[in-house]
Amino acid sequence: MPDTAHGYLYGNRILYLSIAAGLIFLIFIVQLVRQRKLSERFALVWMVIPILLILFSSNRALLERLAQLAGIAYAPALMIPIIFGLFTLVSLYFSVKASKSEQQIKKLAQELALLRHAVQQSPPVVRDRESE
Amino acid sequence: MSATLEIMRAPRILIVIPAYNEEKSVAAVAREALASAPGVEVLVVDDCSTDRTAAILAAEGINHVSLPVNLGIGGAVQTGFLYAWEKGHDIVMQVDGDGQHPPAQIPQLLQAMREEGLDAVIGSRYAAGSQIVSSWARRLGGGLLGALIRLATGQRVTDPTSGFRAYNRHALEYLRRHYPQEYPEPIIAIDLLRNGFRLGEVPILMKEREHGASSITGLDTLLYMIKVIFAIIIVKIRRRR
């Protein structure tokens, strides 16, 4: 596919921008972990996005090949579905985590309510001894 | 073996009353429930109410647990079921705290469970023999749900959204582990039927709500329906447990 010099420059510019954006994002995530605002487990998931972004952006040959496979003439346009897909996966991952947390919170709340009831119902002797 | 046990002692029955901001009705419902049959026990599950529900229950000396966070009807009822399971009750019932379920008709549910050998009994507003006090929108919604349940399980359930129910310990053992957080009533009907439990209905007459607003009203009925249908499809395609 004949690429004009102008088109190539233009195409590469977006790739450089992508690499820069990926690096900034990566630094931002590392900062959040260092400040203990983001746990390592979640940070790892978030890092997948900038790392893949940098990988695809810095390897034009790989991108061209994948674009060809996908039937996309303008290779950098392939970044759009890739990024969209990655964000979708990450969001889904967090929804799964949230569902699990929801179940855990429910279980804890129920246990707590039942235990509090059991403590209140326990014979006063036990309670007095505990408060001493 | 269960037959021998029945001869040896009367079944222990726990009536679970989920209550979220039902300060006006909950005490009366609990007292009525206690008086409905000899030997029944009551547990009100206060779903982190923001009104005086908890204070009233404590002042009246009504057996209750208070959830530290609001879990919604599913989580609240399941709390009661966990309690019943731990305390060894044979039958657990659900009677809503808003006063629309008639505790006086608790014996009908228990009788049906005993005589028809059911694991779960739903007090139905629409089963043959019950008098209908309901809006056309809700009846239509209920009818649609019923049709869906029939499609999914092959059994007719006339009032799948009714929360006036009784379960035996066999069903309790299942429900204490698997209780849907949202729209629990129709989901449970399907879930139990799909897992081989025997479920039946008893005609009952429900009162209009005494206080507070129903959780299913007006246009929300449509949204409710969509969500429930989605949830039913999920139950249908989920792996059996």
Side-chain angles (χ1 to χ4, degrees):
Chain A
M1 194 150 295
D3 237 327
T4 63
H6 177 74
Y8 227 100
L9 192 72
Y10 221 72
N12 279 340
R13 199 188 296 172
I14 183 67
L15 294 183
Y16 296 145
L17 279 174
S18 295
I19 294 170
L23 282 173
I24 292 168
F25 194 29
L26 210 55
I27 293 167
F28 185 54
I29 293 167
V30 172
Q31 264 316 99
L32 283 175
V33 174
R34 287 186 56 202
Q35 292 165 357
R36 295 175 196 280
K37 284 179 182 162
L38 183 67
S39 74
E40 290 87 340
R41 208 156 52 112
F42 292 145
L44 216 59
V45 178
W46 274 118
M47 279 176 171
V48 170
I49 291 175
I51 287 171
L52 286 181
L53 189 69
I54 292 167
L55 183 80
F56 283 118
S57 303
S58 58
N59 196 338
R60 178 89 198 215
L62 177 71
L63 200 63
E64 292 281 1
R65 211 179 142 67
L66 283 176
Q68 210 174 5
L69 281 175
I72 296 170
Y74 179 57
L78 184 64
M79 294 308 290
I80 297 166
I82 288 176
I83 291 173
F84 180 79
L86 287 174
F87 270 102
T88 306
L89 278 178
V90 170
S91 307
L92 196 63
Y93 171 81
F94 288 119
S95 294
V96 171
K97 284 280 164 204
S99 303
K100 194 182 169 193
S101 296
E102 194 179 52
Q103 287 302 312
Q104 290 171 329
I105 290 167
K106 182 181 86 164
K107 210 164 179 176
L108 284 172
Q110 290 175 331
E111 284 279 317
L112 177 60
L114 292 172
L115 277 174
R116 196 158 53 186
H117 181 267
V119 169
Q120 280 160 1
Q121 298 286 306
S122 64
V125 190
V126 180
R127 267 190 290 170
D128 290 348
R129 202 175 296 153
E130 275 177 357
S131 62
E132 268 167 22
Chain B
M1 191 191 109
S2 63
T4 340
L5 278 174
E6 271 168 35
I7 295 163
M8 281 159 65
R9 61 174 175 85
R12 284 185 62 207
I13 300 161
L14 180 76
I15 297 168
V16 175
I17 304 174
Y20 177 64
N21 291 348
E22 304 284 4
E23 60 180 13
K24 293 196 174 88
S25 55
V26 71
V29 173
R31 276 195 301 266
E32 266 187 76
L34 272 173
S36 64
V40 297
E41 291 165 58
V42 159
L43 178 75
V44 178
V45 182
D46 164 32
D47 194 8
C48 203
S49 296
T50 52
D51 67 355
R52 298 190 61 250
T53 299
I56 287 167
L57 291 168
E60 299 252 347
I62 294 164
N63 189 31
H64 70 284
V65 296
S66 288
L67 288 164
V69 289
N70 180 268
L71 292 183
I73 181 87
V77 172
Q78 192 185 27
T79 307
F81 286 11
L82 289 168
Y83 178 95
W85 178 256
E86 278 177 25
K87 299 271 176 178
H89 288 92
D90 304 293
I91 293 169
V92 63
M93 297 194 64
Q94 179 190 339
V95 176
D96 285 350
D98 57 19
Q100 73 167 332
H101 296 157
Q105 292 175 50
I106 285 171
Q108 274 102 298
L109 268 69
L110 295 173
Q111 188 187 353
M113 176 174 269
R114 194 171 55 238
E115 289 177 357
E116 296 169 34
L118 298 170
D119 297 309
V121 182
I122 301 174
S124 168
R125 289 160 283 185
Y126 315 124
S130 67
Q131 286 166 274
I132 295 142
V133 194
S134 186
S135 75
W136 67 268
R138 296 193 65 177
R139 287 186 62 199
L140 181 72
L144 268 170
L145 270 184
L148 214 70
I149 291 175
R150 195 169 191 173
L151 209 67
T153 66
Q155 187 172 330
R156 192 173 139 82
V157 178
T158 62
D159 195 0
T161 59
S162 165
F164 189 34
R165 292 169 175 219
Y167 302 102
N168 67 8
R169 199 164 166 83
H170 183 39
L172 174 63
E173 197 284 321
Y174 181 82
L175 293 174
R176 84 186 160 99
R177 291 181 288 127
H178 311 293
Y179 205 93
Q181 189 102 334
E182 289 187 272
Y183 331 108
E185 284 86 9
I187 307 296
I188 285 171
I190 295 188
D191 212 8
L192 287 179
L193 285 170
R194 267 172 57 80
N195 283 284
F197 292 92
R198 288 156 303 172
L199 181 133
E201 285 187 302
V202 169
I204 53 136
L205 175 64
M206 278 193 203
K207 289 183 278 186
E208 290 291 338
R209 289 175 61 89
E210 285 177 354
H211 306 284
S214 166
S215 47
I216 316 164
T217 49
L219 264 180
D220 290 345
T221 310
L222 183 70
L223 197 63
Y224 174 85
M225 285 297 301
I226 292 169
K227 287 179 178 173
V228 172
I229 289 169
F230 178 70
I232 286 173
I233 294 167
I234 299 279
V235 175
K236 182 83 177 153
I237 62 176
R238 205 164 40 195
R239 268 176 286 169
R240 278 164 207 253
R241 291 173 291 211

